[in-house]
Amino acid sequence: MSEYPEIKLYVGGDWVQTSEKLPILNPATEEEIGRLPVAEQSHMDDALAAAQEGFKVWSQTSPMERARVILKAAQLMRERQEEIARSITLELGKPIRQSRLEVIRGCEFFEWDAAEGQRLYGRVIPSAPGIRYMVVRQPIGNVAAFSPWNFPMSQPARKIAGALASGCSVIIKPAEETPAGAVHIVRAFVDAGLPPGVLNVLFGRPADISSYLIPRDEIRLVAFTGSTVVGRQLTTLASENMTPVLMELGGHAPVIVCDDVDPAVAGVTSAIRKMRNSGQVCTSPTRFFIHEQHHEPFTESFVERVLATKVGDGLDEQTDMGPVAHEGRLAALQNFVDDAVKRGGKLLTGGSRKANKGFFFEPTVLSGVPDDALIMREEPFGPVAVLNPISSLDEGIEKANSVPYGLAAYAFTHSAANVDRLVDGVEAGNLSINTLEASLPETPFGGVKSSGYGREGGDEGLHHYTVVKNVSHSMTIV
Ligand code: NAD
């Protein structure tokens, strides 16, 4: 209990406690590990006022000085890697080895954005004599950010990094299940000398906070990662004020396995990646479309690797997969599996809750699942994979595109001609060939269709946190 940090709001440079608190559970043991403060309206008003003041200071701080503070905070987080990783594992259940990597990825988001924030160049447009047209990028203002529970440190890190590197202030509401990652980020920024009001953290009931903050004039950008359903609600709220949004929403990643690769190697790689973070990743590969010639050997190696997955408490160094984030996810996953089996899908392994204590779900593999099954239309967001055969690449692309989502998509092939067809044909914001990595600090990440709007990462990501201003300067009054 003692190694889990005390959770408080952080507003205007002060740690703030509230009268109402909710329990924070360890999903591996169901034991209470801390208490979540619930923000009231007065805390939100204070955060809005503080962020206004913070913006005045931070937007007028030189990009190089901003980078210095961000890099110092990232260095402190690297030094505190073990402490932060243990908090993540306690609140989310993720294997400690994955939590350590998450901390480093979060630091990389800060480091890349800190550097790139110094290169938010404008341009000078060729003009007639006596007049200059200048395009400048300026920080957009105060950002309302909402981050989910599946990466308790790197998800808030990504949003805070984009905002601070661009000269914005931010009010972030991290997920109620996993608040410690953001608390560690704030601690590092306090120690790095970030001025008060630039970064503010609220916890509480998500809808109470988003519905109060988003319509306010002080908010100039809404940045959300989470489900498409909630993303739509927040976008509707933002539209009342014409406030721009950055929406990283759900995916339902397809994997097309062509007939020119080693199916056993592709099967093992895919199985390891599928079970990462208990499948609770918006880019998690779920719908596998495997060329019929390779379906059997791919399935064999995939299932064999899944059966070797060591499920347990994430604090155990040997654990490959922890529990799912909260109890509600168990019923949702069971419904996906039962529906698929009822419609004729074959359960190859897993399929139920594992053990009575802790929110563990068995690593699960289904095959021959019909297109109308729920799991072929909605992402399970858990350790469940579907391995279906296809007869051609065209069929694979058609099935990949058959859902309203388009975030990450994957394929295994060594054929340049196949890659060409995939690049042209697959509807997704991110296409990865022969690798199941989809999101890095330096590459733009985001979706098409119902998977969202905008990009995080790369210079595309930082641009969302800026506004473009065109300046026309005539040398004489005309
Ligand atoms: P959920 O939609 O209730 O919650 C997901 C996240 O959204 C939580 O962190 C929550 O705090 C936040 N949220 C919910 N309502 C909100 C509101 N009105 N205003 C602001 N924030 C709000 O669902 P859940 O059962 O916790 O998670 C399941 C689904 O969420 C998954 O199926 C997946 O699609 C989605 N999800 C996506 C990501 C992602 O990285 N894209 C991450 C976590 C969850």
Side-chain angles (χ1 to χ4, degrees), residues 235-273:
T235 302
T236 304
L237 272 174
S239 70
E240 285 171 26
N241 237 1
M242 298 308 285
T243 306
V245 297
L246 175 50
M247 291 281 148
E248 299 290 356
L249 308 178
H252 199 348
V255 184
I256 300 174
V257 183
C258 297
D259 58 1
D260 65 324
V261 291
D262 182 337
V265 174
V268 170
T269 300
S270 299
I272 293 170
R273 196 68 181 189

Side-chain angles (χ1 to χ4, degrees), residues 118-273:
Q118 298 171 80
R119 293 189 280 270
L120 284 168
Y121 301 127
R123 68 189 201 276
V124 178
I125 296 172
S127 54
I131 192 159
R132 289 264 181 258
Y133 302 122
M134 256 190 322
V135 180
V136 292
R137 280 196 178 275
Q138 299 177 318
I140 196 166
N142 182 25
V143 179
F146 302 86
S147 60
W149 41 257
N150 55 344
F151 290 92
M153 189 266 183
S154 66
Q155 289 270 23
R158 192 156 223 186
K159 292 185 166 36
I160 295 168
L164 298 195
S166 313
C168 299
S169 56
V170 58
I171 304 173
I172 187 164
K173 186 210 72 66
E176 46 285 10
E177 296 89 348
T178 58
V183 166
H184 283 294
I185 292 173
V186 172
R187 285 181 176 181
F189 271 102
V190 170
D191 294 346
L194 186 74
V198 180
L199 169 59
N200 304 276
V201 181
L202 297 172
F203 297 108
R205 296 193 175 80
D208 290 354
I209 297 176
S210 56
S211 60
Y212 191 73
L213 290 186
I214 291 175
R216 293 286 295 249
D217 290 342
E218 295 94 323
I219 299 299
R220 298 299 171 87
L221 173 72
V222 176
F224 171 76
T225 297
S227 63
T228 298
V229 173
V230 175
R232 273 201 193 99
Q233 292 166 8
L234 304 197
T235 302
T236 304
L237 272 174
S239 70
E240 285 171 26
N241 237 1
M242 298 308 285
T243 306
V245 297
L246 175 50
M247 291 281 148
E248 299 290 356
L249 308 178
H252 199 348
V255 184
I256 300 174
V257 183
C258 297
D259 58 1
D260 65 324
V261 291
D262 182 337
V265 174
V268 170
T269 300
S270 299
I272 293 170
R273 196 68 181 189

Side-chain angles (χ1 to χ4, degrees), residues 355-415:
N356 290 325
K357 191 143 188 239
F359 308 135
F360 293 96
F361 200 84
E362 294 174 312
T364 298
V365 187
L366 294 152
S367 182
V369 178
D371 292 342
D372 63 350
L374 183 63
I375 198 167
M376 300 307 285
R377 293 180 276 119
E378 295 296 330
E379 67 170 344
F381 219 68
V384 185
V386 175
L387 314 186
N388 278 357
I390 49 166
S391 57
S392 67
L393 179 55
D394 285 343
E395 185 188 352
I397 293 174
E398 194 188 317
K399 285 187 183 290
N401 293 342
S402 67
V403 292
Y405 306 100
L407 190 58
Y410 310 95
F412 289 100
T413 181
H414 298 302
S415 153

